[in-house]
Amino acid sequence: MSTVSLSTENDIAIITIDNPPINATSHAVRQGIVTALDQIDADPAIKVAVLICAGKTFIAGADVSEFGKPPMDPILPDVIKRLETTLKPVIAAIHGHALGGGLEVPWLSLPHR
């Protein structure tokens, strides 16, 4: 199973992160979010996207297994930039804990125009 999946309901895209136990922003999650946003932008039928997480928590931080290793693209600031520049509005449905990157993703990706 993929750590990030994309589904649609009518004209709404649903990006679901499923990376137990805390939905950490691992490389696979970061890449999955970017891929999903690319697909959403390419589909004219999609009007809005919702970013949600499976399980009991929203993104609750970084993947500690990546600490001390060279960063792999896309790094979190690049993912946030991609969220900021997507052609469709993206809504973060936060539940449970939202720590570290879990706060950065929805907060920093808000349009600051």
Side-chain angles (χ1 to χ4, degrees):
M1 173 162 178
S2 177
T3 57
V4 178
S5 62
L6 177 63
S7 60
T8 57
E9 190 169 318
N10 299 318
D11 58 356
I12 301 169
I14 303 162
I15 305 167
T16 304
I17 298 170
D18 190 1
N19 190 26
I22 64 164
N23 290 316
T25 54
S26 66
H27 176 256
V29 167
R30 297 187 309 270
Q31 183 61 56
I33 292 170
V34 170
T35 299
L37 293 171
D38 290 345
Q39 292 171 345
I40 290 164
D41 279 350
D43 188 341
I46 294 173
K47 304 298 182 209
V48 65
V50 178
L51 177 66
I52 64 172
C53 291
K56 296 181 180 182
T57 186
F58 193 69
I59 301 166
D63 185 342
V64 296
S65 71
E66 295 180 5
F67 289 5
K69 296 179 182 174
M72 296 188 334
D73 289 330
I75 59 174
L76 189 58
D78 293 340
V79 175
I80 292 168
K81 178 79 168 169
R82 182 64 184 92
L83 281 160
E84 291 174 343
T85 60
T86 190
L87 301 175
K88 318 283 173 72
V90 179
I91 299 161
I94 302 171
H95 71 287
H97 297 89
L99 306 169
L103 288 175
E104 293 173 18
V105 169
W107 175 252
L108 295 177
S109 63
L110 292 172
H112 299 284
R113 304 179 222 272

